[in-house]
Amino acid sequence: KQWYQRRVAITAGGAKWFFGCGGLAILFYDNIGFVHTVRGKSMSPTLNPGPTRSLLREKVWLSRLPFYQPTVGDIVVFKSPKHGSRLAMKRIAGVAGDTVVPSKVMKNTMEAVLIKPGHVWVEADNRHTAGRDSNEYGQLHNKMILGKVTWLLWPWSRIQSLRNTRPPFQQSENREESQQR
């Protein structure tokens, strides 16, 4: 009988440890962040500038810290409005109160769009791809944003902070302006 009680105590201790770690992992995932795989070419050349075969896909850190306020230029991961279970990654081009001119023809019009409170406008860095962004599905509600991409973690040769990156099309426009002066 003593052997049985000792075995039950060891098993119970192991279960507490296992479920405690699982609870911590869930808490970490939901409130701190996680590693996310970049798929597709819509964020190229900032992310996935080369081949996108599965082993070569880049990995980023997705920060899920509470009280995140979206700002223009942030790269975010959000639930796709068209496919609720799929995640998408784009750059914020406009926040509440901003006026944005779509970069692609949206519903046969190129009129400026005023961003509603609690919404953002997201666009792909690579404007030559058919990536789905706000040009296709309109303004994105802030509640759909899972977090902000803060670090490029893989491959090792490209590890860098992504907190203050700028879209490539904005960098080329700034270069052209400085050359004209």
Side-chain angles (χ1 to χ4, degrees), residues 117-142:
H119 290 74
V120 295
W121 187 270
V122 294
E123 289 192 352
D125 279 3
N126 186 348
R127 291 187 170 177
H128 303 292
T129 63
R132 292 183 171 98
D133 57 18
S134 289
N135 290 292
E136 180 180 322
Y137 46 70
Q139 300 178 39
L140 180 73
H141 199 284
N142 289 353

Side-chain angles (χ1 to χ4, degrees), residues 19-162:
F19 288 113
C21 288
L24 285 176
I26 291 170
L27 184 67
F28 191 87
Y29 178 89
D30 284 346
N31 297 296
I32 306 297
F34 60 93
V35 176
H36 181 71
T37 301
V38 181
R39 290 180 171 79
K41 296 296 241 174
S42 69
M43 292 304 294
S44 179
T46 307
L47 298 169
N48 273 353
T52 58
R53 292 179 298 234
S54 61
L55 292 177
L56 301 176
R57 289 187 183 139
E58 294 184 329
K59 309 277 188 208
V60 295
W61 178 256
L62 180 66
S63 177
R64 293 190 60 161
L65 295 175
F67 311 113
Y68 165 69
Q69 289 297 315
T71 57
V72 174
D74 290 351
I75 300 172
V76 294
V77 172
F78 55 93
K79 292 180 185 172
S80 171
K82 298 271 183 182
H83 310 96
S85 62
R86 294 181 99 187
L87 299 181
M89 180 184 301
K90 301 291 183 258
R91 187 181 300 272
I92 295 177
V95 294
D98 289 352
T99 302
V100 176
V101 177
S103 63
K104 302 171 192 160
V105 176
M106 182 181 86
K107 298 176 185 158
N108 301 323
T109 183
M110 287 292 280
E111 293 179 18
V113 177
L114 177 65
I115 308 300
K116 299 183 279 191
H119 290 74
V120 295
W121 187 270
V122 294
E123 289 192 352
D125 279 3
N126 186 348
R127 291 187 170 177
H128 303 292
T129 63
R132 292 183 171 98
D133 57 18
S134 289
N135 290 292
E136 180 180 322
Y137 46 70
Q139 300 178 39
L140 180 73
H141 199 284
N142 289 353
K143 290 182 179 179
M144 297 184 81
I145 297 174
L146 293 181
K148 175 183 175 180
V149 175
T150 55
W151 283 92
L152 175 59
L153 302 174
W154 177 261
W156 295 113
S157 61
R158 287 185 29 93
I159 290 177
Q160 61 183 305
S161 172
L162 297 172

